[in-house]
Each structure stands twice: as C-alpha cells, then as structure tokens.
Amino acid sequence: MSNVTITEYQGIETSTWCPGCGDFPILKCIKDALVQLNIAPHQVIMTSGIGCGSKLPHYMRVNAYNSVHGRSLPVAMGIKLANHDFTVIAVTGDGDGYGIGGNHFIHTCRRNPQIVHIAENNQVYGLTKGQYSPTSDYGYVTTTSPEGTIEVAINPIALAITTGATFVARTSSGDPKHMTQVIAKAIQHKGYALIDVLQPCVTFNKKNTYAWYKERVYKLDDEKGYDPHDRKAAWARAQEWGDRIPIGVIYQEVGRPTYEDQVTVLKQGPLVKQGFNIGRIKDDIELLKEEFV
Amino acid sequence: MQTTDISIKIGGEAGQGVESSGGGFVKALSRGGLFIFGNSDYMSRIRGGYNFYQIRASDSPILCHTSHIHLLLAFNEEAITQHKDEIVKGGAIIYDEDFKIDADSLKARGIQLFPMPLVKFAYESGADRIMANTAAIGTAVGVLEYDFERIAEVITQNFKRKGEAVVNANLNLARQAYTLAKEKYAKNFKFKVSPIPDPPKRMVLHGNQAICLGAIGGGCRFMSGYPMTPASTIIEFLSEKANQFGIVTKQTEDEISAILMAIGASHAGVRAMTATSGGGFSLMVEALGMAGSTETPLVIVEAQRAGPSTGLPTRTEQGDLEFVLHASQGEFPRIILTPGTIEQCFEAGWRSFNLAEKYQCPVILLTDLYLTSAVRSVDKTIFDFSKIPIERGALLDDAALDKLTSDYKRHAITDSGISPRAIPSHPKAVFMTTSDEHDEHGHIIEDAESRIKMMEKRMRKLELAVEEMRTPEVYGVKGAEITLIGWGSTYGALHESVDRLNEEGTKANMVHFVDIWPFPEERVTPLLKEAKYTLCVEGNYTGQLANIIRTCTGIQVDKRILKYDGRPFSADDILLRVKEEVRLHV
C-alpha cells in the first residue's frame, strides 16, 4: 500500500553521535513512522535547536531548518502558519526545549498548532560535556553541581497537560517499536503533540542509563482500562517518576481546533499558496486611504 | 508665499482627552486644506501624569514641529507652567476660568489670557466634566476664526458611535464656546487660520501607518510581534487589516519568538516581518544572526526610543544606529534603512521586502518614536500602489525546480554570492539550512576551506546590494558655507533649518541619509569632501552616524550637534546651535 520508501529518507551525512547514543533509535523511528504513514520527504519539514539531538535532521533526507539553541518551536510555528499543509516536526533536547526554550514550550502548548514536538530528554547537557539540565533529578552530580543539584526537575508531561497541550506522550529509546507507534500517533493527532523521549546519553549520564530506564518503564497500553482522554487519570500518571515511569500516550484531547484552523486568513488555504496580486486588493487600498482623510 | 504658520498646543493629564482632541483638531484643519504636522508627548502611564499634543498648521508644506507656540489650550494648570516660555508675544492661553494662575507675570511676558467657563459649559450641557475639552476646542476655533463646520464635522464623526444625544451635546457645547470666544477674544488674537477654497483631500498619518501601507503594498503576508512602544501600532494596524489583505499576524510570548516566527514563515515562502523597539531588538539579536547565516529574507522594524535599558519608554532617540549595525556575533550581510518622512516610510515599507528577498538577508528599518507617532498631511498620490515593484530576486518557481537534474543546493556558491532560493515543499528540492556554518547543501561543516568559501559567498552579496543603496539626499544651495548632515527622523527639521539659514543669508545645505548600510561610500565621500563646514545633527550622545562616516570615509565631521533629552529636534533647536557655530567658524 505504502508508496514512500525508507530510502527516500536516507541521508548522506555521517552522524557525530557517540556509539550507542539514544538519538539513533529516534532517527530511525521518525523515518519509520513517516514511511508507515506514507508521507514523502517533501511533505515534511523539521526544525531543531542546538544540541546533539538537534543535529538529527542532518542525518536524514528531509526539509529542515536547524535553528539556534532553544528556538525550534517558534520557527516551527512560523512555518506552520505560512504553510499548514506541511507535516511539521520540531526536535529539541531537554535543555533546549524545556530550559532555554521553556517559554516557547508552554506557549506552544496553549496554541495547539499541529506540530509534533519530539523532546530528546537525556537529563544532561551532552554537547557541552556534562552539565545538569532542567530534567536532571534532584541531587544529580555534574561539573556544575559538584554537590548535587539543589533544584527539582521540571516535569514536562504535567507542564504540557496543564498549559493546554492536546497530546502528551512519553516513549523510550530502549523500545524503538513503541517509539515508532507513538510518533505515528502524534503525527496523526490534530494539534500540538509532545513526545518526551527517554534518551540515554551514554557518555555523560551515568545514572539514567538504558538499564536504569528499563527497570522502571511500563507501558500504559498494558494498563487495563487506562484512558488517555480522562484528564484526571492522565494527571495522576503524569506525576509518576522514579520507581515507575509510564510510557505511551498519557493524555489526549480530541476535537479542540488547532491554532491554524482558527486563523481566518488561513481558511483560504495555506498562506504561501494564496499568492499576491495587488490588482485584487486595489479597491480595498482606495478605501484604506480614505480612512486617513 | 506662506502667510499662515501657526502652532497650537493642547496640554493636560492623561485621560483628559488631550490626544483625541488633538487628533480631531488635526483632521478639521487638514480637511480645510491646510498642511498640518501633529506630534504628541506623553508619559509611560495610563492615567494622570502630564501629556501634550502639538499641532502646526500652515498654508505651505511643513515637515516638523516648532519649539514656539501661538496658542495653548491648557486642560490643567500644569500645562501653563510647562509651556508658558514657548508662547510667542501676542500668543494666548485658553483655560478654565477657575484655574489659579499668575496672570500678571504671564501678561508681562506678552501672553494674552483667554479664561473661559469650560467646565461650567460642560456641566450645563448635561455632559461629563471631561467634555470641557470639546469646549476648549470650540474656543480655539473661535479665537482662530476658523470654519466651525469643519470641527463640527469631526465631532459628529468621532462621537457617532456613542449616539445622537452625545453628538448633539458635544456640538452644542463646542458651538457655545466658539460663539463666546469669537465675540470676546477673536479681535485681540492676530494669528489666524482659514480653510482654503476647494481643499484637496489629503491623508493624515504617522510613520508606522505609512510603513504598514508600504508593507501591504509590498506583499507582506506575515507579521509577528510583541507589544512595545513605539512599535505596537504596526502589529495593531496590520491585525485590524489582516483579513482584508490576507495577512497573518501573531502576537508572541516575547520578541525572541516574534523574530523566529517571522524567520520560519519567510523560510516557508511568504514575505514576513517583525517590529519592535530597542529593548525587544536586544532579544532578537541572536536570531538576527541566524537569519544572516541561513540567508533567510526578513524585515525588522526597529522603532527607537530613548535608552539605555527601559530608558524613557515614551520618548524619542536615535541611539541604536551603531547597535543595529553591529548586533549579533560574527559578520554577515545586513541592510539598514533609515527613512525620515512619511513618504520615505511608505517606500521603505515595500522596498525592504524586495531588498530582503533579493539579497536573502535581514533588512532593518530603523525609525524612532517621533517619526512613528507624529502625523503629517500628505497628498494621496504619494501612495501609488500600482507602481510598487515586487522583486523576489533569485527565486526558483515550480517550473524551474521541475527541471532540476541534480540535488538542489540551497547555499550554492555563485559569483554574485546569491544562491537561487527554493520554497520548501517541492519534491525535487528537499533541503535544509542551519545556523551552524554549512556547505552548499546546508549541512554542518567545520573545515577551514569550506568555511572561507561560504563566508566569502555571503559577504559578496553586499557588493551588489551597495549599488542599490540610495545616495544621501542633498538639499539646499551649491557651494554652501555649512552642510548639515543627518539621518532618519531629523529630515524635516534639517530641511526647514536649511531654508531658514538661506533666507537669513547663510548659504547652507543638508546631506540626509535614508540608506545607511551597506554604506554607499563611493558616492558619499565626494559629497562630503566638497562640503566646507559639516555639522552632523543626531538625536544621541556620541554622534553615531558621524562615527560611521569617519570609519567608512576617513572624513571627520567638523561638529556634532547632539541631543539626548528624549525630545525631538525642531528647526528652532538646530538653528539655535548652528548659529553659534556659524558665528564661531564661518
């Protein structure tokens, strides 16, 4: 059935990631999900910030704008408003997306544009060689917190739910099959979709390793009766961290209009396809000039 | 021959209707065929404080305000304290008869006092106390012996949405004051304005509105911004007109997001802009460099106000020129336009989009509070939308992309430095770009050889762009003894200064920059070399244009006339200081 093949997404660049990096499965799963959904590379645009994970779009064949640190989401929003036909996937890290880009994160949740936000959360700053991040656990020892961090970690899942996100999920680099499914669901979701990915940094995070996550994660799909549309239930699962970490779609709200659906001008179709013809607005221009007389 | 040139000032508290009275009066005067200039001065607060609105009306074209006034409409006692020294001999103050003022000292200065029962009239008409402003305007029309019907028309229009009763109450009140003032004071007041027969229909607008009209004509489709004085009226205006002209506007969470969304929209293929003041621009600086590196077309309006930091939030300054020139790390092409009049704002409004797309770089339209908020009457013909060229530069359309036989290179190395641009979504042009240094495909590189090639490619674009930069406008006499130099909003004050100096026998001219970067040094150098004595007039502390001129041409201007009090230059301000220089040096 599917016409789009994985080779179409095959990049030519060699990655700079460390062997075993949790970013490798993310790269593969994004491509797999897009192929599964029969979306061709020219129909997709990715944005990213700065950090190891933000190099991801370079390692596949796809439209992309690799911006500066923390700024993936607003660039994605601008692209979406200019051409809402695109499947827009914004990639960020944890420091990138929840720290320096934290303000953009909460406001994007409120706006509900149809953008998939994949946050590669390794709970550490990797590219700058091992400082603590906004998701580092309390007491985590790094070069900038030799006595352990003395601030609690941000909870991106709860924060997204409370600021209005309509799709909030968590998956793990340790389970690519699960990740592909979650990404595919997120792409199909009408609205903003956060996927927080537990993504081990094999070089700088010696605590939150593949093994550490494996011992703790459990799938919400296996929880009988769990309904991600139940906000209260979702809120309870959002608080879970430590001994048990849920993965899967934690929260989903269906039916809320997307931001772009509510912009009057965009009801005529994507902005970039509307063209520009001064002749068409000639009469309006004359009326406009009269307003100043 | 100029026979009428009168300045009227309305002063009072915020909330007393200073701005709306001024705006209404301006319309009434413009519709009578007079040339007008109106500027306001207000404090950074919503109620209280002290504000004024100044109107200059003339039967000849005017380009700026004056430092002196003929008529003061004092809505409170403070207005008199603030402005008594600006009133010319024979000028007058209109005020409420209950104000406590030092009448003797004012009369001793040659000022006429026109007390009126303004509040009493307002109460008698069954209206609110605030309507005393309507009575004051009626009084002014009476002493000026202007056509009452002109003000009646504006009152009717302005109060229409509040219902017929309110319209009539205001009309009656204005007429009552008008009649009394005309009878009691008009014969003693020698400054008059009268409508001209068959007045032309002129538009009255400020710089931000002119920029918006230019942007609409230039095909701007996306505008993102965060509210900040004095730039906010741009996003407000475009939001109001968005559906009519197919523009998406977005108020963002901060200025960082504002510039990034505009960059995203531009990358996706639509003409996009953002607007802010210096503080917001400070937040945009990182993304400015990103637009430079990724070669994304972008228009940024930076409407300056007095800094540093929060500074004087509602006052003007030209303090950001060197900042916008050097903002962001590293070196990349940027274009800086500094319009100084309503006409120049309109032109810069559309031209900035052409430049941004042709040279695939950020274009900064640097204005200031005075230019963005002062209104002037202009002929409708200057807004000729049919003559606006839409030049998108090297942009590959679908047909061109269909024919591609090899991979599309977003950042292809070319002789001109300009890489043909594709809009993403074509199957044959799947591409990326990055803020990291990159190769022709937009992939990250770190080797020296590729870096040098890409750096030189980007910077080469400036060699072409500089050819398009406007030569500074020279106005005044040839072989002038003194040459005034300026940029941006001082255009009007410089222009009038030159006229007055020449009238008074000092041969003068001016060199005014509307395009500052890339600096058109080959054309500027000869202009300045032939000048005998140069004075650079700038609204900042250091003389930033003078610095740039010295850097680019090696020419040191003879004198810097600077002002950093948050207030705009008038011709009077400039002449006062120029004449001292002339006495000493010419």
Side-chain angles (χ1 to χ4, degrees):
Chain A
M1 173 69 195
S2 179
N3 304 319
V4 176
T5 62
I6 197 80
T7 51
E8 290 181 53
Y9 279 103
Q10 193 58 50
I12 51 167
E13 296 291 302
T14 312
S15 106
T16 55
W17 295 330
C18 306
C21 175
D23 283 331
F24 284 108
I26 302 175
L27 175 63
K28 183 176 185 303
C29 295
I30 291 173
K31 292 197 275 192
D32 286 346
L34 288 165
V35 171
Q36 257 180 37
L37 296 171
N38 202 28
I39 299 169
H42 72 277
Q43 298 170 309
V44 184
I45 192 158
M46 293 182 72
T47 63
S48 63
I50 295 293
C52 291
S54 282
K55 292 182 181 175
L56 185 146
H58 288 278
Y59 307 141
M60 54 193 281
R61 181 177 167 270
V62 71
N63 291 307
Y65 193 109
N66 176 195
S67 76
V68 284
H69 194 44
R71 313 304 172 200
S72 183
L73 286 172
V75 175
M77 184 74 180
I79 290 171
K80 191 75 194 181
L81 291 173
N83 186 355
H84 58 261
D85 278 353
F86 267 129
T87 293
V88 179
I89 302 174
V91 176
T92 75
D94 42 331
D96 186 46
Y98 303 145
I100 190 169
N103 199 26
H104 307 315
F105 169 52
I106 60 179
H107 292 281
T108 308
C109 290
R110 290 170 52 220
R111 292 174 185 140
N112 199 37
Q114 192 172 349
I115 290 172
V116 176
H117 175 188
I118 299 175
E120 303 152 308
N121 182 1
N122 56 17
Q123 301 178 255
V124 73
Y125 282 85
L127 196 58
T128 50
K129 304 191 193 299
Q131 303 80 11
Y132 65 93
S133 93
T135 51
S136 295
D137 293 325
Y138 184 89
Y140 184 62
V141 176
T142 70
T143 52
T144 50
S145 56
E147 297 177 81
T149 62
I150 49 174
E151 56 196 48
V152 297
I154 209 164
N155 180 337
I157 304 293
L159 187 56
I161 294 172
T162 201
T163 51
T166 53
F167 182 103
V168 183
R170 182 189 282 126
T171 185
S172 169
S173 284
D175 190 344
K177 198 176 153 204
H178 182 265
M179 183 162 21
T180 304
Q181 284 170 359
V182 170
I183 294 174
K185 280 183 191 165
I187 292 171
Q188 290 170 293
H189 175 71
K190 280 283 284 175
Y192 169 77
L194 171 70
I195 307 172
D196 182 73
V197 185
L198 304 174
Q199 176 250 321
C201 174
V202 293
T203 305
F204 289 106
N205 192 332
K206 302 297 185 195
K207 179 190 172 192
N208 309 101
T209 60
Y210 282 102
W212 189 89
Y213 288 127
K214 199 174 176 188
E215 277 171 26
R216 289 164 172 81
V217 299
Y218 72 94
K219 289 180 188 166
L220 286 170
D221 286 346
D222 299 339
E223 298 288 296
K224 277 218 171 88
Y226 183 71
D227 178 9
H229 303 93
D230 177 344
R231 195 179 169 96
K232 271 190 182 163
W235 185 250
R237 301 281 178 171
Q239 311 308 317
E240 290 184 24
W241 183 264
D243 292 342
R244 269 170 65 80
I245 303 170
I247 61 170
V249 179
I250 297 170
Y251 178 65
Q252 185 170 21
E253 180 185 334
V254 177
R256 178 130 61 92
T258 63
Y259 189 91
E260 57 276 15
D261 279 348
Q262 301 173 79
V263 178
T264 305
V265 172
L266 298 183
K267 296 191 196 302
Q268 318 280 328
L271 201 55
V272 71
K273 292 178 186 166
Q274 289 184 25
F276 177 70
N277 178 0
I278 193 83
R280 212 175 57 199
I281 57 169
K282 216 172 143 197
D283 295 343
D284 285 331
I285 293 282
E286 287 313 308
L287 284 174
L288 180 59
K289 283 156 77 170
E290 276 304 312
E291 288 180 24
F292 293 101
V293 173
Chain B
M1 176 65 194
Q2 190 169 350
T3 54
T4 303
D5 187 359
I6 188 167
S7 287
I8 303 157
K9 200 167 230 171
I10 304 168
E13 269 180 36
Q16 280 191 313
V18 170
E19 184 88 22
S20 56
S21 302
F25 208 175
V26 156
K27 273 202 166 164
L29 291 165
S30 175
R31 287 175 183 176
L34 292 144
F35 291 94
I36 70 97
F37 188 95
N39 62 303
S40 59
D41 180 291
Y42 57 99
M43 296 174 74
S44 182
R45 55 196 286 177
I46 295 169
R47 286 281 175 264
Y50 179 73
N51 297 336
F52 71 74
Y53 194 97
Q54 187 167 329
I55 303 162
R56 183 181 180 189
S58 171
D59 54 4
S60 307
I62 43 172
L63 294 166
C64 64
H65 70 288
T66 58
S67 293
H68 60 270
I69 53 173
H70 301 88
L71 187 60
L72 173 65
L73 279 64
F75 287 3
N76 63 8
E77 286 157 8
E78 190 183 352
I80 300 173
T81 320
Q82 289 263 354
H83 306 299
K84 60 181 190 297
D85 296 339
E86 300 162 20
I87 303 169
V88 299
K89 277 210 166 60
I93 306 172
I94 293 167
Y95 59 100
D96 188 84
E97 59 187 11
D98 285 345
F99 283 5
K100 288 178 185 52
I101 62 164
D102 185 355
D104 291 342
S105 83
L106 291 166
K107 282 180 187 162
R109 292 163 181 266
I111 299 170
Q112 304 193 68
L113 302 179
F114 297 163
M116 287 284 289
L118 303 174
V119 175
K120 190 170 152 244
F121 278 180
Y123 281 134
E124 279 173 8
S125 72
D128 205 281
R129 183 192 168 90
I130 193 180
M131 272 171 51
N133 60 32
T134 302
I137 296 291
T139 306
V141 175
V143 301
L144 291 163
E145 295 185 278
Y146 190 67
D147 181 3
F148 182 78
E149 290 315 309
R150 297 280 170 192
I151 198 74
E153 186 189 313
V154 175
I155 289 172
T156 306
Q157 197 183 349
N158 286 359
F159 289 101
K160 203 164 69 187
R161 64 188 167 84
K162 291 189 176 172
E164 203 180 335
V166 177
V167 170
N168 287 335
N170 275 280
L171 282 177
N172 291 340
L173 178 58
R175 188 180 294 279
Q176 192 182 10
Y178 166 80
T179 309
L180 176 64
K182 195 175 171 186
E183 183 187 304
K184 202 170 168 187
Y185 299 125
K187 64 177 180 302
N188 298 330
F189 192 70
K190 63 177 178 182
F191 308 106
K192 305 290 180 191
V193 275
S194 28
I196 64 164
D198 300 319
K201 273 187 164 185
R202 291 203 189 94
M203 291 164 67
V204 177
L205 71 170
H206 57 60
N208 274 353
Q209 289 163 333
I211 287 169
C212 289
L213 292 182
I216 289 170
C220 172
R221 305 310 292 270
F222 185 87
M223 196 276 164
S224 41
Y226 184 85
M228 185 171 189
T229 304
S232 310
T233 50
I234 293 182
I235 190 167
E236 287 175 338
F237 184 87
L238 291 176
S239 297
E240 189 193 326
K241 307 295 176 195
N243 295 347
Q244 200 176 1
F245 296 106
I247 299 167
V248 171
T249 63
K250 181 77 199 85
Q251 180 177 315
T252 55
E253 61 274 26
D254 55 29
E255 286 90 348
I256 300 174
S257 186
I259 187 170
L260 290 159
M261 283 195 200
I263 288 172
S266 175
H267 180 75
V270 302
R271 289 193 153 189
M273 74 185 286
T274 183
T276 186
S277 188
F281 186 78
S282 296
L283 295 186
M284 294 182 178
V285 163
E286 186 188 33
L288 177 77
M290 183 175 90
S293 170
T294 59
E295 305 192 76
T296 309
L298 178 66
V299 174
I300 306 159
V301 179
E302 209 267 59
Q304 301 161 99
R305 65 190 213 190
S309 193
T310 310
L312 300 168
T314 60
R315 314 284 167 178
T316 199
E317 194 164 270
Q318 295 183 300
D320 298 348
L321 178 58
E322 289 185 298
F323 172 44
V324 302
L325 175 58
H326 300 293
S328 210
Q329 70 271 31
E331 298 155 300
F332 56 90
R334 74 187 80 195
I335 293 171
I336 300 170
L337 310 181
T338 56
T341 63
I342 299 298
E343 293 86 339
Q344 291 166 2
C345 282
F346 175 66
E347 189 198 39
W350 55 260
R351 185 172 160 246
S352 52
F353 288 97
N354 287 349
L355 292 169
E357 287 205 310
K358 281 164 83 173
Y359 301 103
Q360 301 176 16
C361 72
V363 176
I364 298 161
L365 221 159
L366 187 63
T367 63
D368 59 40
L369 186 136
Y370 180 58
L371 179 65
T372 58
S373 59
V375 297
R376 187 164 68 81
S377 53
V378 287
D379 282 335
K380 280 170 84 178
T381 50
I382 72 156
F383 300 102
D384 189 351
F385 285 73
S386 66
K387 294 236 168 72
I388 296 175
I390 303 292
E391 299 166 350
R392 302 203 67 178
L395 184 67
L396 299 169
D397 58 13
D398 280 354
L401 291 171
D402 287 340
K403 286 185 210 132
L404 280 185
T405 49
S406 57
D407 269 359
Y408 169 68
K409 294 174 178 171
R410 170 64 194 95
H411 300 287
I413 307 278
T414 60
D415 289 342
S416 64
I418 297 166
S419 314
R421 196 162 61 101
I423 289 171
S425 82
H426 193 280
K428 284 201 165 174
V430 172
F431 68 96
M432 73 172 300
T433 188
T434 175
S435 65
D436 280 82
E437 190 56 281
H438 41 261
D439 60 18
E440 291 182 297
H441 286 99
H443 287 304
I444 299 171
I445 58 96
E446 298 193 30
D447 70 290
E449 195 187 341
S450 309
R451 153 69 173 187
I452 292 167
K453 277 188 187 158
M454 197 50 68
M455 190 75 181
E456 289 175 351
K457 174 206 110 67
R458 278 194 300 266
M459 297 308 282
R460 266 203 300 282
K461 296 190 287 188
L462 284 175
E463 293 168 20
L464 271 182
V466 74
E467 300 300 321
E468 274 204 58
M469 295 297 106
R470 303 266 194 264
T471 307
E473 179 181 335
V474 181
Y475 173 77
V477 299
K478 278 218 153 100
E481 290 165 87
I482 67 157
T483 296
L484 304 178
I485 302 168
W487 58 281
S489 73
T490 53
Y491 182 95
L494 291 169
H495 198 276
E496 185 170 325
S497 298
V498 166
D499 284 344
R500 283 164 62 181
L501 283 165
N502 286 314
E503 277 165 27
E504 291 165 18
T506 305
K507 288 169 78 184
N509 63 12
M510 71 183 230
V511 175
H512 179 267
F513 288 78
V514 286
D515 289 0
I516 290 197
W517 202 262
F519 193 81
E521 94 187 40
E522 284 186 14
R523 285 167 282 146
V524 173
T525 308
L527 278 182
L528 296 183
K529 277 203 169 142
E530 66 185 42
K532 289 180 187 157
Y533 190 77
T534 51
L535 300 104
C536 197
V537 180
E538 299 186 58
N540 56 49
Y541 185 86
T542 48
Q544 300 186 13
L545 176 62
N547 292 344
I548 293 169
I549 289 172
R550 186 170 55 184
T551 304
C552 294
T553 69
I555 296 169
Q556 172 76 288
V557 301
D558 296 304
K559 177 75 188 174
R560 300 175 189 213
I561 294 188
L562 306 170
K563 186 169 157 74
Y564 36 85
D565 59 359
R567 274 71 183 172
F569 273 110
S570 68
D572 306 293
D573 296 328
I574 295 174
L575 288 173
L576 192 71
R577 292 159 74 175
V578 167
K579 282 177 183 168
E580 177 63 13
E581 286 302 310
V582 170
R583 196 179 63 78
L584 293 171
H585 299 285
V586 178

